[in-house]
DNA sequence: ACCTGAACACCGTTCAAGT
DNA sequence: ACCTGAACACCGTTCAAGT
């Protein structure tokens, strides 16, 4: 029953490296994520990754892309779960929860380790499609609260910023929910999102 | 006229290291910021910084603290400049502009390189006082737009998140202002802040 | 085509030793 | 007290060589 232990060479090394990198990233944080460790713990020599990725950036880009895919799924899942009637608020919940559940990945995806040198196009597919979820939601039902002068693009920027700020500040422990009189994150996030982003509240 | 070239030993090495670190951070980004380079370019041996800082984290913490001080000043300056009547919106302008003007520092201050291992108290003085600016502004004039049920703490979290999200996304080039039909950042930021955060618009 | 082992220039950190 | 030089274990990356 113990197969695929020592014979990569099938084209799965590339995927195995990405998987191991995510594992390391979430368990020990981004500073522990060295190419050499990823290689070693995948059971392969330090130079082997270079057969599949141009350099460390390229591996990180692949990891981030996997992250964007999961991110979009998480948002959509939350929005459609029925826990929240307002679809846009549901997406916001998914956004924030993803950040809290996958701090390493989230940090890599948005923290700028990549964005300095990255080939932006290399990331755009998955990233763009998660972004598109927000755009679509706002296209369907613009924010009534600010409907005095309709401006959907600005509404998108607003929603994106609000939710991104909440996710970042919570994850970096810049807010602590106790400061605001909440014991748990979830109701805190819900109140914030419903009150300032939702149409129903 | 050429003094203080080779005789540290006065207690200024510590400050010189922080200054050089900020310079490197802004010129070449956080990945170029190695302790060894900071030491070398300050004209001192690789081990010298350890006489003043416990480790690299400690130096970075000092750098971040200097950053928080400048950050608070930038916000206050902008809010009091008279370019914007709404004090809170002025603070928001300062917040966002600081991020765009000092991407390296901003990234260090909020990006989590520190927040994982940091002694949170070591940063709290300067950080707290910049945060306090927001709290005070909202204490004085709560957000009228959401005054249906007064909740100032939540208003603070909202304002902080919105402004932090805008700053981050702009700085990481996650938005490009052209997407939203603006040529310059400034009017884009103003419209966002006035429309969703201001009381006057 | 995919992988290894050795090599290079760089890290952070420690420690004995100098002033 | 403050600094140096050498050392250690780690990096990312390259390159000849193996299969």
């Amino acid at each position: 029953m113990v197969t695929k232990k020592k014979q990569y060479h099938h084209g799965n090394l590339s995927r195995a490296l990405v998987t191991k990198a995510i594992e390391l990233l979430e368990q020990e944080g981004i500073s522990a994520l060295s190419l050499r460790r990823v290689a070693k713990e995948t059971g392969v020599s330090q130079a082997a990754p270079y057969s599949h990725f141009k350099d460390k950036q390229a591996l990180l880009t692949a990891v981030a892309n996997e992250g964007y895919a999961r991110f979009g799924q998480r948002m959509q899942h939350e929005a459609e779960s029925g826990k929240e009637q307002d679809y846009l608020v549901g997406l916001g919940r998914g956004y924030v929860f993803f950040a809290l559940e996958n701090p390493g990945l989230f940090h890599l995806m948005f923290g700028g380790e990549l964005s300095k040198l990255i080939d932006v196009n290399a990331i755009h597919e998955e990233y763009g499609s998660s972004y598109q979820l927000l755009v679509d939601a706002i296209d369907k039902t613009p924010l009534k609260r600010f409907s005095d002068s309709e401006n959907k693009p600005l509404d998108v920027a607003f929603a994106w910023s609000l939710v991104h700020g909440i996710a970042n500040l919570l994850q970096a422990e810049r807010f602590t929910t106790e400061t605001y009189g909440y014991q748990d994150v979830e109701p805190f996030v819900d109140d914030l999102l419903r009150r300032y982003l939702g149409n129903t509240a």
Side-chain angles (χ1 to χ4, degrees), chain A:
Chain A
M1 280 321 195
V2 186
T3 27
K4 67 163 178 178
K5 198 68 200 244
K6 194 65 196 248
Q7 37 49 303
Y8 285 108
H9 253 288
H10 300 77
N12 40 0
L13 213 211
S14 165
R15 176 150 277 132
L17 291 170
V18 171
T19 304
K20 180 61 76 183
I22 293 181
E23 191 187 318
L24 265 170
L25 184 58
E26 286 305 343
Q27 283 176 359
E28 309 195 27
I30 196 149
S31 60
L33 188 59
S34 76
L35 244 193
R36 287 178 102 112
R37 263 194 82 183
V38 173
K40 189 163 300 175
E41 300 198 11
T42 313
V44 96
S45 88
Q46 86 237 183
Y50 289 91
S51 300
H52 299 266
F53 298 98
K54 179 179 152 289
D55 55 15
K56 190 183 181 186
Q57 281 280 326
L59 206 220
L60 293 185
T61 303
V63 169
N65 245 324
E66 172 66 23
Y68 289 121
R70 297 186 189 180
F71 179 56
Q73 288 164 23
R74 184 72 182 81
M75 281 200 284
Q76 206 156 11
H77 173 268
E78 191 68 36
E80 291 167 355
S81 73
K83 283 191 184 172
E84 173 61 50
Q85 312 117 315
D86 193 320
Y87 190 83
L88 184 61
V89 171
L91 290 179
R93 280 173 53 97
Y95 198 116
V96 173
F97 294 162
F98 179 87
L100 298 177
E101 291 156 4
N102 310 281
L105 257 184
F106 186 77
H107 183 236
L108 178 66
M109 288 156 59
F110 292 106
E113 267 76 15
L114 293 176
S115 57
K116 311 278 163 169
L117 312 163
I118 210 172
D119 174 10
V120 195
N121 293 328
I123 252 186
H124 246 42
E125 306 130 49
E126 298 289 4
Y127 171 67
S129 75
S130 60
Y131 173 76
Q132 196 60 35
L133 290 172
L134 266 181
V135 177
D136 290 347
I138 288 179
D139 267 355
K140 271 180 240 156
T141 55
L143 303 180
K144 290 194 196 118
R145 202 187 280 279
F146 301 99
S147 60
D148 32 325
S149 86
E150 290 218 0
N151 187 337
K152 282 177 192 173
L154 220 55
D155 278 351
V156 171
F158 164 73
W160 190 245
S161 297
L162 175 61
V163 147
H164 189 73
I166 295 172
N168 257 294
L169 292 169
L170 269 178
Q171 194 237 27
E173 296 181 61
R174 241 55 191 200
F175 309 139
T176 117
T177 71
E178 289 86 18
T179 311
Y180 298 97
Y182 294 82
Q183 293 181 342
D184 288 327
V185 235
E186 196 165 337
F188 173 66
V189 172
D190 281 346
D191 279 5
L192 264 179
L193 292 179
R194 281 203 270 254
R195 190 155 146 71
Y196 301 100
L197 186 61
N199 277 321
T200 42

